[in-house]
Amino acid sequence: GAVVSQHPSWVICKSGTSVKIECRSLDFQATTMFWYRQFPKQSLMLMATSNEGSKATYEQGVEKDKFLINHASLTLSTLTVTSAHPEDSSFYICSARAPGLGDTQYFGPGTRLTVL
Amino acid sequence: AQSVTQPDIHITVSEGASLELRCNYSYGATPYLFWYVQSPGQGLQLLLKYFSGDTLVQGIKGFEAEFKRSQSSFNLRKPSVHWSDAAEYFCAVGPYEKLTFGTGTRLTIIP
């Protein structure tokens, strides 16, 4: 139980284009989803927290207009990297939680974004 | 502010040997503590967590961790490692809605 998926697992795009990453909770309803960014050989940095039906809360230093987060349903959240640049290349990981599953975040497998 | 320190960047152990990964935290109240494991190119899998109660926590894959408030530590242990345990291990401190992760410890297993 508590499985989270991400799609795509790997994406390459040209500089200036936008990329959408999906995060789905497969066997539970996620009231809250989180988006992290992980640079090579580094830890995870929380980018934003989203609650279903509400606007996402972004961490300090994260550009809201560049990283658009939508949490339209209890099983799906999307992260859109707009006008991507090479410095946006990173590993993006989502996680989700549900009250019935305790105070724990369950993580997706991650999406590797490479911007050329 | 909450923070997590994992002093060991890289640890190498022989298969079958015991393992201890260190984690020290800073948190203003009773912490929520977690250990996650990440295989290359993968997301994080929860190994175990501590919220309250018994300070020795059992997790999956034969791992355990002990919460020591006096030392602000939550070290991860395994009595006998397997080659499949090679991965990156992250300690995290809560609250659950805003986790702070350590920088991770890479575990290499040698035959």
Side-chain angles (χ1 to χ4, degrees):
Chain A
V3 179
V4 177
S5 70
Q6 283 184 241
H7 178 81
S9 57
W10 184 54
V11 58
I12 299 175
C13 70
K14 293 182 179 180
S15 185
T17 62
S18 295
V19 174
K20 180 182 286 187
I21 301 170
E22 294 185 347
C23 175
R24 293 181 184 272
S25 56
L26 299 185
D27 52 1
F28 67 101
Q29 294 185 321
T31 51
T32 307
M33 287 185 167
F34 306 84
W35 286 95
Y36 293 85
R37 184 172 180 177
Q38 185 180 30
F39 291 100
K41 302 184 187 300
Q42 295 188 27
S43 188
L44 283 76
M45 301 298 295
L46 179 64
M47 299 175 64
T49 303
S50 71
N51 292 295
E52 185 266 338
S54 303
K55 289 185 177 180
T57 301
Y58 290 80
E59 294 300 302
Q60 190 173 9
V62 177
E63 299 177 60
K64 301 178 182 181
D65 294 333
K66 181 166 192 62
F67 298 100
L68 302 179
I69 292 172
N70 183 278
H71 191 166
S73 77
L74 286 172
T75 60
L76 174 64
S77 177
T78 60
L79 167 67
T80 301
V81 183
T82 62
S83 186
H85 291 282
E87 56 266 31
D88 299 324
S89 298
S90 191
F91 194 54
Y92 293 89
I93 305 176
C94 73
S95 70
R97 70 167 294 270
L101 296 177
D103 297 331
T104 301
Q105 293 184 29
Y106 294 91
F107 286 79
T111 296
R112 173 76 60 193
L113 170 63
T114 301
V115 184
L116 302 177
Chain B
Q2 61 195 49
S3 65
V4 176
T5 301
Q6 292 182 249
D8 305 305
I9 297 174
H10 187 197
I11 285 182
T12 299
V13 299
S14 299
E15 189 168 14
S18 63
L19 171 71
E20 182 170 27
L21 302 182
R22 295 184 291 167
C23 172
N24 293 98
Y25 68 90
S26 175
Y27 192 73
T30 299
Y32 284 25
L33 292 160
F34 304 82
W35 274 101
Y36 286 90
V37 60
Q38 183 181 36
S39 297
Q42 300 295 314
L44 277 68
Q45 180 182 22
L46 178 67
L47 287 176
L48 47 78
K49 60 187 177 184
Y50 171 79
F51 293 165
S52 64
D54 193 348
T55 56
L56 185 61
V57 181
Q58 300 298 320
I60 62 171
K61 303 184 179 185
F63 286 93
E64 66 177 27
E66 186 172 11
F67 170 60
K68 292 185 178 180
R69 184 186 300 274
S70 61
Q71 299 177 21
S72 297
S73 69
F74 189 57
N75 294 348
L76 182 71
R77 301 192 295 248
K78 187 170 185 177
S80 176
V81 298
H82 185 263
W83 63 266
S84 60
D85 293 326
E88 190 89 17
Y89 291 79
F90 290 95
C91 181
V93 63
Y96 63 84
E97 69 270 17
K98 191 155 185 173
L99 294 180
T100 297
F101 286 83
T103 51
T105 297
R106 178 172 298 178
L107 176 63
T108 297
I109 308 295
I110 56 176

